[in-house]
Structures are given as structure tokens and as C-alpha cells.
Amino acid sequence: QVQLVESGGGLVQAGGSLRLSCGASGSIIRINTMGWYRQAPGKQRELVAGISRGGRTNYADSVKGRFTISRDNAKNTVYLEMNSLKPEDTAVYYCNLYVQITTWDTADYWGQGTQVTVSS
């Protein structure tokens, strides 16, 4: 079993910054892709940013230049640095990890979600 713990959400004014983190523990051989998704009220969950084990990143167009995803493989942790936050960034943010749990098996895990609220 794999457990994910997210932290770092909160309330911030427009233009401010927040840093999210998501740490994994448990039966992990290695973590492949790590990512952050978000879901605003009444909207579908969307990919915000992803990072491969080798460090290749991809971002939603709406956050390019403002958000930075990074990872620490030794700590099984993924981060999302969010700058120049806008009210439209308000959402629940979820981390997603694609984990190799045995020699042959991989599994997808989600964090519990952390609320980010940006006031205008």
C-alpha cells in the first residue's frame, strides 16, 4: 500500500505565491510520472503540471511561466511552486503518482487534495 500526504494549500491574495508538496510512503519500488491536477467547483479535473522521473516537465497553458513543478526522488516527493496566482487558480489541487509497486505491477495514486483559494 502507498500513502500520499499533501500540504501547502491555503488562502492567498492575487499576485501571491504558494508551494504545494506531496510525499509518498509505503510499498514503493520507484515513482515514475508525478503530476498535479486541480478541480474547481462545477468543472472537470484538469492537469496542471507533470514531471517524468528524468525531470521532463509539461504544463497547462494557463499556468506556464507562473507555476513550476519539481521532484525529489530520494524523498518520493513532488512540489508545485505557484507564483503570480490569479483568482481563476482557485481549486482543490491533487497530486497524482504513477508508482511501480512490484517488479511487474504499477499503480496510480491520488493525494487527498488541498484547497487553494486566491482572492481578488
Side-chain angles (χ1 to χ4, degrees):
Q1 194 60 276
V2 175
Q3 296 79 41
L4 273 60
V5 177
E6 294 185 31
S7 63
L11 173 64
V12 64
Q13 288 188 332
S17 299
L18 285 172
R19 188 188 195 215
L20 307 182
S21 65
C22 173
S25 61
S27 180
I28 299 170
I29 291 180
R30 73 176 196 176
I31 301 175
N32 297 320
T33 303
M34 307 174 97
W36 288 95
Y37 289 72
R38 67 186 181 187
Q39 187 166 19
K43 294 189 177 181
Q44 290 189 329
R45 190 173 296 190
E46 62 174 357
L47 175 67
V48 176
I51 184 167
S52 70
R53 182 167 180 82
R56 185 163 56 186
T57 60
N58 62 288
Y59 296 93
D61 287 343
S62 59
V63 307
K64 282 180 182 176
R66 300 188 298 121
F67 290 11
T68 302
I69 189 170
S70 61
R71 63 188 287 168
D72 185 333
N73 290 332
K75 295 181 178 180
N76 290 333
T77 299
V78 61
Y79 305 96
L80 185 67
E81 185 77 34
M82 304 184 293
N83 298 314
S84 302
L85 282 161
K86 304 175 181 179
E88 50 263 44
D89 294 318
T90 295
V92 178
Y93 284 70
Y94 299 90
C95 62
N96 174 256
L97 276 57
Y98 193 61
V99 180
Q100 184 142 9
I101 54 175
T102 71
T103 303
W104 304 277
D105 296 321
T106 56
D108 213 18
Y109 292 94
W110 291 89
Q112 80 276 13
T114 186
Q115 178 70 45
V116 171
T117 303
V118 185
S119 63
S120 56

